[in-house]
Amino acid sequence: MNITVIGRGRVGGGLATLWTAAGHDVTTLGRDGGDASDADVIVVAVPAAAIDDALGRVSGLNGQVTIDACNIYSPRGSEFASLSHQIKSIIGGPTAKSFSTNFAAAYDQLKHEAIRPGNLFAADEAARASTEQLIEDAGYEPVFIGDLEPGARLLEDSSGLTRALAWQIGPFFYRYSRPGEL
């Protein structure tokens, strides 16, 4: 896939490294913006408060499949149901929420895990296949929680639990399975 990652920080830069190693053509864009018109998939990995500004600096956003990998750490506005919905209102394509419950600090340890850790995601139907493929190519097992509505907001609201666990044990992996499948 031809992927444009908007955000060069730990999440965006880390995912770009994983996907490049998996054979994808990845372009990263930072604060200077750039052109995303050749992208099959757009990944947005910027602080929640920077979404409008970051996407405003990128040309060629024309309804591509989009993955929202943003986290929210401050009070949210009420204009959108989730950050994913905000991003979708700008890019206009099918959208997924993914990678927001995983720790970028642990990306380099994925290859050492005996069992692929899970990655919770929500998606519009038209974004699901691409998102699942990129989750797998990053080294995770996709765990679909349902449609973008209400899934994206559920994932965003779980960030407090994720942070509380990390405060106790540090960055961690998780795995969901039915009994007898581990």
Side-chain angles (χ1 to χ4, degrees), residues 41-66:
V41 176
I42 305 288
V43 177
V44 182
V46 299
I51 290 171
D52 288 336
D53 184 52
L55 295 180
R57 296 172 188 261
V58 178
S59 62
L61 299 174
N62 299 312
Q64 297 98 325
V65 169
T66 303

Side-chain angles (χ1 to χ4, degrees), residues 68-91:
D68 163 20
C70 301
N71 287 304
I72 188 162
Y73 298 112
S74 59
R76 72 172 68 248
S78 60
E79 186 177 351
F80 298 100
S82 71
L83 301 177
S84 299
H85 289 85
Q86 178 183 357
I87 291 166
K88 185 175 181 174
S89 76
I90 297 167
I91 298 176

Side-chain angles (χ1 to χ4, degrees), residues 23-146:
H24 295 288
D25 182 16
V26 182
T27 300
T28 59
L29 302 178
R31 287 184 174 88
D32 50 337
D35 182 24
S37 57
D38 291 337
D40 301 313
V41 176
I42 305 288
V43 177
V44 182
V46 299
I51 290 171
D52 288 336
D53 184 52
L55 295 180
R57 296 172 188 261
V58 178
S59 62
L61 299 174
N62 299 312
Q64 297 98 325
V65 169
T66 303
I67 299 174
D68 163 20
C70 301
N71 287 304
I72 188 162
Y73 298 112
S74 59
R76 72 172 68 248
S78 60
E79 186 177 351
F80 298 100
S82 71
L83 301 177
S84 299
H85 289 85
Q86 178 183 357
I87 291 166
K88 185 175 181 174
S89 76
I90 297 167
I91 298 176
T95 303
K97 176 78 173 181
S98 186
F99 301 104
S100 63
T101 60
N102 300 104
F103 288 90
Y107 287 165
D108 62 343
Q109 297 171 33
L110 280 163
K111 61 184 169 244
H112 304 294
E113 294 300 308
I115 298 173
R116 284 179 175 243
N119 178 14
L120 300 171
F121 79 104
D124 291 329
E125 185 59 34
R128 185 172 175 180
S130 296
T131 303
E132 285 180 341
Q133 184 65 57
L134 290 175
I135 290 169
E136 290 173 359
D137 292 348
Y140 291 99
E141 181 69 27
V143 181
F144 182 62
I145 67 162

